Amino acid sequence: MGLHFGLYEGHIAEDEEAAKSRYSWLIAKGRNCYEYVDGKGKSWANGMRYVNCARDDGEQNLVAFQYRRQIFYRTCWVMGPGCELLVPYEDEYGQELGSKWKRACGQER
């Protein structure tokens, strides 16, 4: 459990368009300094752009984390072949999608 995989790839940007993209992750570069990795454009992105939003805590099977200005995913438990990859998003984005997210992954199923 806790298998690390991924590396979310995309175009690195600091503009408002990247901030609004449903395929972007916020990257902290330092204190109050941020950029985005935007996987919207398929030529910049990889398969990690298809990780979907969990509708509730029970669906979540991944957690996203930043390591050295890159986004990776970690599994919450062992998943079988063909399992859809689902990660929670922060409250504001989740509410925009019509859902609410309250906890971070880490508990075993």
Side-chain angles (χ1 to χ4, degrees), residues 3 5 12 22 24 30 37 39 61-62 66 70 76 83 87 91 94 102:
L3 175 69
F5 70 102
I12 304 299
R22 291 185 174 232
S24 69
V37 58
N61 55 20
L62 296 177
Q66 178 180 331
Q70 295 179 317
C76 297
C83 188
V87 68
D91 285 340
K102 297 292 182 193

Side-chain angles (χ1 to χ4, degrees), residues 15-64:
D15 58 37
E16 196 67 25
E17 184 177 329
K20 293 179 181 178
S21 171
R22 291 185 174 232
Y23 291 95
S24 69
W25 284 98
L26 183 67
I27 304 290
K29 297 191 320 183
R31 178 174 236 131
N32 298 320
C33 187
Y34 304 96
E35 65 187 6
Y36 299 89
V37 58
D38 187 359
K40 184 177 181 180
K42 291 182 181 180
S43 62
W44 292 91
N46 61 3
M48 296 293 100
R49 76 189 293 269
Y50 297 109
V51 170
N52 287 317
C53 181
R55 291 177 292 186
D56 58 49
D57 291 347
E59 277 192 337
Q60 177 184 353
N61 55 20
L62 296 177
V63 67

